[in-house]
Amino acid sequence: MSDPAGHFAGRYLDAAITLLQRVRDEEGGPIAAAGAAIADTVAAGGRIFAYGAGHSSLAAQDLVYRAGGLALVNLLVVPGTVGVDVMPATLGSALERVDGLARVCLDASPARAGDLLIVISLSGRNALPVEMAQHARTLGLTVIGVTSAAYAKETTPRNPSGTFLKDHCHVVLDSKIALGDAELTAPEIPAPFAPASTVVTSALLQAVMATAAVSLAERGFAPPMLRSGNVEGGLEWNAEIVERYADRVFWRQ
């Protein structure tokens, strides 16, 4: 190959760093707004839910029952779309395009008016994430969307409303990921490769959660953060947090 393999590893890491720098420099306002919305919800007694389909679910799962994370974040599950554990894996992608599924699953969840829902979808064009955001707003939830603005500019909606996820959110976070989610190309490799959406989206959301925690602390409200169960006292700390907020922690049930 024209470049050694190690050089491609460096190119990928540089691409990821560049994306993270863009998020830092360009998304400061939305990050602050999203953090404030989460802090508002927590302080008012609301619950936090996160949803993502397919690989977008990885960033949602990274917020739930996480050392150093907010204890009140719960995964909103749509069976068959959480990760790639369903067989065949392509079924998850197909379910994301099913009309009406989001409404049924959201209605069956514990989510209620006054809660907050984070919806993660790189393309933001399929029925499931779009309808999830739409219906959540109808139910009275605050909605934060995490998506790529590039898809809304360079693709067409693939859902009955003819809209994108970004059109139904109170706050929109742009991950800056380019169309196709592949950062590298090489003459010897027939398709673009090396996706970065998981790295960037997870970092973006952790920045939001850090902002929310500090916002709560500034209001005199001790944010219920989890500790690692692998440090001394961590398990006891977490058990106390869960007991105190049992009505808002659904991952423990």
Side-chain angles (χ1 to χ4, degrees):
M1 298 179 70
S2 56
D3 289 297
H7 179 64
F8 276 89
R11 283 178 56 189
Y12 173 76
L13 293 172
D14 286 344
I17 290 168
T18 298
L19 285 165
L20 290 170
Q21 288 174 330
R22 285 190 61 198
V23 166
R24 179 196 62 196
D25 296 340
E26 300 172 18
E27 293 299 297
I31 288 172
I38 291 171
D40 289 344
T41 302
V42 172
R47 296 84 60 83
I48 312 297
F49 296 89
Y51 172 75
H55 286 94
S56 290
S57 180
L58 296 175
Q61 293 178 55
D62 192 47
L63 299 176
V64 180
Y65 183 48
R66 185 73 167 83
L70 185 65
L72 307 186
V73 183
N74 303 279
L75 191 67
L76 198 155
V77 176
V78 176
T81 71
V82 182
V84 292
D85 56 336
V86 63
M87 293 296 175
T90 52
L91 176 59
S93 298
L95 289 172
E96 194 177 353
R97 299 190 290 271
V98 174
D99 302 338
L101 181 57
R103 175 184 291 269
V104 171
C105 291
L106 191 54
D107 284 344
S109 78
R112 65 190 184 194
D115 292 344
L116 183 144
L117 174 63
I118 301 167
V119 181
I120 308 163
S121 173
L122 180 61
S123 72
R125 65 193 295 237
N126 291 310
L128 190 48
V130 171
E131 291 177 2
M132 186 75 75
Q134 283 179 309
H135 192 47
R137 292 194 65 159
T138 300
L139 295 176
L141 279 74
T142 299
V143 180
I144 296 173
V146 188
T147 188
S148 166
Y151 279 80
K153 295 176 182 176
E154 301 177 47
T155 68
T156 57
R158 196 158 55 186
N159 64 86
S161 71
T163 60
F164 287 90
L165 171 61
K166 69 176 184 63
D167 299 319
H168 305 284
C169 302
H170 294 91
V171 181
V172 178
L173 299 164
D174 179 11
S175 63
K176 314 297 179 183
I177 300 296
L179 191 69
D181 192 17
E183 293 300 318
L184 301 181
T185 59
E188 302 86 351
I189 299 177
F193 59 103
S197 60
T198 303
V199 173
V200 176
T201 303
S202 291
L204 178 52
L205 283 170
Q206 291 298 347
V208 168
M209 290 300 166
T211 303
V214 172
S215 179
L216 284 166
E218 289 175 344
R219 305 177 194 193
F221 187 105
M225 314 304 293
L226 296 170
R227 296 187 178 187
S228 171
N230 294 307
V231 299
E232 292 300 324
L235 292 175
E236 293 78 10
W237 172 277
N238 292 343
E240 182 180 339
I241 290 289
V242 170
E243 182 178 359
R244 188 183 312 166
Y245 293 94
D247 61 328
R248 294 197 260 175
V249 175
F250 300 100
W251 48 260
R252 185 64 176 84
Q253 298 176 6

